[in-house]
Amino acid sequence: MSSGLPSSTAHGQPTTAGNSLINRGNLSQLTEPALSAARVQQALRDAGLDSTIVEHGVAARTSAEAASALGCTVGEIAKSLIFRRGDNDAVLVIASGANRVDESKVAELLGEPIRKADAAFVRELTGYAIGGIPPLAHAKPSTTLVDRDLLQFACVHAAGGTPNAMFPIRPQDLVRVSGGRVADVRLGD
């Protein structure tokens, strides 16, 4: 069954995220980065999506790096940003790579202030390191907002659990699998 999504390409040889070991049931043999991508791939399957995570030969820790590796525009990158709300709650904002997030808009939407999260908090709440945070399959649930600007594209690309792993997804599916609410989060409007 074809997903109708464009296939991902990269500099060098992309590989599917640990699928040969996943398909044989050998998850214990995966390295930590491959296991992170495998966890996201399984979450995509569980959500009924036919989207494949591809591990690229280059790291893409920024939206510009991801767009360059994928051959798409920066706006088509769905970056996952974690903010802190209160002492122990996370807020996931999935924003277009072309946009900066307006923290005051996010705080207004949530009805309470937010602040930037440090790397340790991000790892604890999501299970992933900054630079590879996917929009789903987090260690702990969080409130999620999805940048409305992503909806203008037929397909966007999100991180798949590591800085080298990415996958294509329709924006409507992104909203559904993330449990997010579409909102204006862009700085400057």
Side-chain angles (χ1 to χ4, degrees):
M1 169 169 81
S2 172
S3 67
L5 295 173
S7 60
S8 295
T9 59
H11 306 293
Q13 293 287 62
T15 59
T16 303
N19 275 344
S20 60
L21 292 173
I22 293 168
N23 291 338
R24 291 194 309 258
N26 295 327
L27 291 178
S28 64
Q29 295 178 19
L30 294 176
T31 62
E32 183 178 343
L35 189 55
S36 292
R39 196 166 63 239
V40 178
Q41 184 66 69
Q42 187 60 52
L44 289 167
R45 284 189 191 131
D46 291 348
L49 294 179
D50 186 22
S51 182
T52 301
I53 294 177
V54 176
E55 290 183 287
H56 298 268
V58 294
R61 288 183 174 83
T62 68
S63 297
E65 289 172 349
S68 176
L70 294 166
C72 67
T73 68
V74 175
E76 292 170 280
I77 301 301
K79 61 184 176 184
S80 295
L81 304 171
I82 299 292
F83 294 91
R84 194 171 192 143
R85 178 166 90 176
D87 290 333
N88 297 311
D89 292 328
V91 176
L92 169 62
V93 177
I94 305 169
S96 168
N99 294 345
R100 292 193 60 209
V101 172
D102 186 330
E103 293 177 42
S104 64
K105 284 183 181 177
V106 173
E108 186 175 322
L109 287 163
L110 300 175
E112 63 183 294
I114 62 164
R115 61 188 190 279
K116 289 187 170 45
D118 64 27
F121 180 82
V122 170
R123 170 76 82 168
E124 178 187 343
L125 275 282
T126 68
Y128 305 96
I130 293 172
I133 302 168
L136 72 164
H138 291 186
K140 297 180 182 173
S142 60
T143 300
T144 303
L145 299 173
V146 179
D147 186 347
R148 70 178 183 190
D149 287 352
L150 289 169
L151 299 179
Q152 69 184 304
F153 300 105
C155 177
V156 295
H157 302 272
T162 75
N164 295 59
M166 293 170 268
F167 64 95
I169 188 168
R170 288 181 191 87
Q172 303 88 320
D173 289 332
L174 178 63
V175 173
R176 179 177 62 83
V177 301
S178 69
R181 174 174 54 144
V182 176
D184 173 15
V185 296
R186 177 177 39 160
L187 183 66
D189 283 342

